[in-house]
């Protein structure tokens, strides 16, 4: 099997997810493919992708066991890792990852004989363990098993690399610009314009930038027919969604229309069994009642016995105002009883304020009670 076959497999397995995630970014499926080829193809998934399912391949995409003096980023050694919170748990995960990949890679099998060695790179795009301090859950929960999590972090790190290379995020990238961003992704820094001989230098003398260029060109030459949906498609099921009534509507009517539409959509998404009745709408009816009360309208527009106790004319005049009048009046008369003796001499026009407050208080308390009973009457009124 050739590298082009591996690229075709990678695109077929992960092309839809990567393409969808790259929408709105300057990155492409071919760029992600080239990074995956450069980062983990030869050491991890290249020898096993033909015989193992993709889920198992992802689990074994770990590597990079270099430590100090060849490594300067955290952690430079086992002791460096153990010194941070949850470092011991992370070492256990990292050590087991090395043991796992050693089963399919002879080089890592030899490295694993050193009990202090562990993996530093995780996932098919090699998310580095230096991010354990800020993103511990990815490592401790073995997030590299999930391609979506790997893609999410790839894009995050490419954004950071693009910023380091060009000072800002670009709306699109040429192949050459992709190369410089990829070098910054790998090496942390890049000299834009200095060519591809930058980044990690392999044992064969080739640099990261050179290999990326080669894999990117090969990815361009290996198209795969994938279909990425542009929308979620129509709602499953049948049924008609009711229209919103034309013209200006009051709040309860609009809410009732919205609830009807919501119920229609839910019914289309979850078809009922033949012969069964629609779900009860008591909660919707109660909600409409509450809004009707707040809007000070009864469901049929007529005043009930409580609200119309003094006739329709007075009832309509006070409809929706009784509670407010009663509460405000009660507060004012209570205040008058307290400060009345001091106001009699200052404002003699109205006579004894204290006596006025005592006389008015029962009236306002009664008005408050009337208003509350009116609200209850509206609430208990049957809906049509």
């Amino acid at each position: 099997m050739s590298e082009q076959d591996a690229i075709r497999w990678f695109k077929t397995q992960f092309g839809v997810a990567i393409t969808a995630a790259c929408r709105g970014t300057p990155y492409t499926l071919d760029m992600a493919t080239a990074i995956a080829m450069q980062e983990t193809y030869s050491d991890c998934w290249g020898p096993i992708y033909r015989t193992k399912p993709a889920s198992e391949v992802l689990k074994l995409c770990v590597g990079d066991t270099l430590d100090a003096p060849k490594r300067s980023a955290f952690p430079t050694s086992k002791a460096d890792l153990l010194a941070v919170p949850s470092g011991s748990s992370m070492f256990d995960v990292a050590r087991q990852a090395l043991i796992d990949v050693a089963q399919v890679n002879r080089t890592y099998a030899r490295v694993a004989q050193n009990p202090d060695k562990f993996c530093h790179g995780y996932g098919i795009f090699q998310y580095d363990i230096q991010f354990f301090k800020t993103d511990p859950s990815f490592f401790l929960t073995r997030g590299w098993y999930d391609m979506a999590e790997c893609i999410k972090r790839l894009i995050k790190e490419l954004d950071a690399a693009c910023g380091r290379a060009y000072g800002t995020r670009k709306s699109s990238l040429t192949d050459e610009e992709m190369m410089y961003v990829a070098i910054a992704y790998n090496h942390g820094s890049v000299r834009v314009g200095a060519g591809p001989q930058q980044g990690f230098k392999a044992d064969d003398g080739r640099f990261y930038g050179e290999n990326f260029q080669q894999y990117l060109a090969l990815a361009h030459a290996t198209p795969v027919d994938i279909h990425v949906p542009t929308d979620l498609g129509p709602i499953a099921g049948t049924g008609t969604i009711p229209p919103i009534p034309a013209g200006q509507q009051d709040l309860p009517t609009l809410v009732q229309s919205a609830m009807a539409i919501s119920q229609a959509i839910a019914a289309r998404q979850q078809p009922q069994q033949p012969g069964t009745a629609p779900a009860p709408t008591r909660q919707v009816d109660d909600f409409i009642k509450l809004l009707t009360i707040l809007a000070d309208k009864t469901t049929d527009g007529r005043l009930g016995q409580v609200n119309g106790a003094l006739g329709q004319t007075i009832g309509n005049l006070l409809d929706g105002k009784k509670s407010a009048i009663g509460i405000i009046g009660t507060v004012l008369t209570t205040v008058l009883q307290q400060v009345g003796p001091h106001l009699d001499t200052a404002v003699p026009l109205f006579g004894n304020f204290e006596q006025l407050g005592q006389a008015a208080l029962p009236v306002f308390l009664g008005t408050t009670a009337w208003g509350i009973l009116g609200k209850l009457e509206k609430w208990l009124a049957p809906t049509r």
Side-chain angles (χ1 to χ4, degrees):
M1 293 288 183
S2 65
E3 291 179 336
Q4 196 164 19
D5 291 326
I7 287 175
R8 187 174 294 107
W9 174 87
F10 179 88
K11 286 187 172 184
T12 301
Q13 292 292 329
F14 309 118
V16 172
I18 293 173
T19 302
C22 287
R23 282 177 175 167
T25 77
Y27 320 121
T28 66
L29 172 58
D30 284 350
M31 183 181 186
T33 302
I35 291 175
M37 290 292 292
Q38 169 64 8
E39 293 286 351
T40 53
Y41 167 70
S42 61
D43 289 345
C44 302
W45 60 275
I48 62 174
Y49 77 91
R50 297 182 299 273
T51 59
K52 292 183 180 293
S55 59
E56 293 299 316
V57 170
L58 290 176
K59 293 178 181 180
L60 296 174
C61 285
V62 293
D64 183 7
T65 57
L66 296 178
D67 49 23
K70 293 185 178 181
R71 180 181 174 91
S72 58
F74 167 86
T76 58
S77 64
K78 175 183 176 180
D80 197 16
L81 178 58
L82 294 178
V84 301
S86 300
S88 178
S89 297
M90 182 65 243
F91 176 78
D92 292 341
V93 171
R95 176 65 185 172
Q96 186 60 51
L98 175 58
I99 293 173
D100 291 342
V101 74
Q103 306 304 311
V104 296
N105 185 298
R106 293 180 180 178
T107 300
Y108 285 128
R110 290 193 295 270
V111 174
Q113 294 177 8
N114 183 339
D116 292 336
K117 286 289 189 177
F118 57 96
C119 288
H120 298 84
Y122 296 85
I124 204 163
F125 305 114
Q126 290 292 273
Y127 189 54
D128 196 88
I129 196 174
Q130 65 182 290
F131 298 111
F132 172 69
K133 290 182 177 180
T134 56
D135 191 12
S137 63
F138 175 84
F139 300 95
L140 295 176
T141 62
R142 295 174 172 82
W144 68 90
Y145 288 14
D146 185 346
M147 188 59 173
E149 294 298 318
C150 294
I151 296 171
K152 184 187 304 181
R153 283 156 180 83
L154 170 68
I155 292 177
K156 175 185 175 183
E157 291 309 308
L158 286 178
D159 282 343
C162 190
R164 293 193 297 272
Y166 294 102
T168 183
R169 177 175 171 177
K170 299 172 72 70
S171 59
S172 62
L173 294 170
T174 65
D175 284 3
E176 183 179 32
E177 290 170 334
M178 286 184 183
M179 177 196 70
Y180 287 122
V181 171
I183 293 172
Y185 171 84
N186 163 254
H187 191 252
S189 61
V190 63
R191 292 174 289 116
V192 175
Q197 293 185 335
Q198 301 181 67
F200 176 76
K201 186 178 181 180
D203 293 338
D204 62 2
R206 289 175 61 84
F207 286 86
Y208 191 96
E210 293 176 299
N211 286 329
F212 175 84
Q213 275 189 328
Q214 174 188 328
Y215 288 129
L216 183 62
L218 198 56
H220 289 336
T222 313
V224 173
D225 185 18
I226 60 174
H227 173 66
V228 181
T230 56
D231 54 48
L232 298 178
I235 299 174
T238 58
T240 302
I241 296 178
I244 297 178
Q248 186 174 4
Q249 304 292 333
D250 57 17
L251 180 60
T253 301
L254 290 175
V255 172
Q256 196 165 17
S257 299
M259 296 297 290
I261 292 173
S262 176
Q263 288 178 326
I265 293 175
R268 291 175 64 176
Q269 291 175 326
Q270 299 178 348
Q272 293 177 334
Q273 296 296 326
T276 60
T281 58
R282 173 64 183 272
Q283 291 178 327
V284 177
D285 292 340
D286 288 348
F287 185 56
I288 298 300
K289 281 185 181 180
L290 178 59
L291 289 174
T292 300
I293 291 173
L294 294 176
D296 292 316
K297 299 289 183 182
T298 58
T299 54
D300 58 7
R302 298 193 304 270
L303 293 176
Q305 294 181 358
V306 174
N307 289 294
L310 297 182
Q312 292 293 315
T313 301
I314 297 178
N316 284 322
L317 181 64
L318 296 178
D319 189 29
K321 307 177 183 67
K322 295 186 291 295
S323 297
I325 293 173
I327 293 172
I328 294 173
T330 299
V331 172
L332 290 177
T333 52
T334 302
V335 172
L336 284 176
Q337 292 183 62
Q338 298 297 321
V339 302
H342 305 287
L343 293 177
D344 291 342
T345 55
V347 188
L349 180 62
F350 294 100
N352 191 315
F353 279 91
E354 183 179 10
Q355 294 179 356
L356 177 61
Q358 292 175 350
L361 181 59
V363 176
F364 287 119
L365 287 175
T367 304
T368 302
W370 186 17
I372 293 173
L373 290 174
K375 298 295 184 186
L376 291 174
E377 179 184 51
K378 292 177 181 179
W379 173 251
L380 296 175
T383 56
R384 291 179 178 268

